[in-house]
Amino acid sequence: MLSRLHWDVVDIPAKTDFLKEGDRPNRCCLLIDGLIIRSNFTQGGERQIQSVHIPGDMPDLQSLHLKQMDHYIGTVSPCRVAFISHDAILRTLERSKDLTARFWRETLIDAALYRAIIVRNARLGSTERLAHFICEMWCRFDAVGLTDASGFPFAMTQEMVGQVLGLSIVSVNRSMQLLRAEGLVVWDRGRIDILDWDRLAGLGQFDPTFLHLDD
């Protein structure tokens, strides 16, 4: 149903915040290609990345009902993004209970992701956090067909991953070296390869239930 509506497809350069705190958007976006992050900044300018979005995600659905942005949405890599007006979505939702339920389900999964993030960043050590995050990314990329036999493309820098996990770049680098030394992961040239899923998931206490991929 949504595919029959008018979408504006735009190419956005890497490292561009195209929605900012305080904005009042009149459209939502669908990520077609690339990697997008949702984040906030401290008064000192330090970024906390709250979520990472992959192709197929609509990271700003909340703007349908929360009219003023309370965070930033920006690109990590060059992205292709399709925009659709709020009015078009709302008219379609009025005619489709099924689509309304699907959008509501997406917001519930978004909340589940945040619950997992709180536990991961508050209760796990630095290496365990990184292991958990890599497992999450693998599962999500795999669900949309963006993995191969052992890995997936991953455009985020170690600094950005630190902003996801609440860690310094030094801690991320040290944790990655430990994972590599244990024969669990190789992260090189914009790609992550998982060498031993069971041990990596065990280390990160990773349970994919919160992603609800099998529902």
Side-chain angles (χ1 to χ4, degrees), residues 20-34:
K20 299 181 180 181
E21 185 175 359
D23 286 352
R24 302 179 71 87
N26 60 6
R27 58 185 186 172
C28 288
C29 67
L30 169 69
L31 179 58
I32 298 173
D33 188 46

Side-chain angles (χ1 to χ4, degrees), residues 10-11 73 114 124 176:
V10 179
D11 291 317
I73 294 179
Y114 273 96
L124 299 184
M176 180 52 66

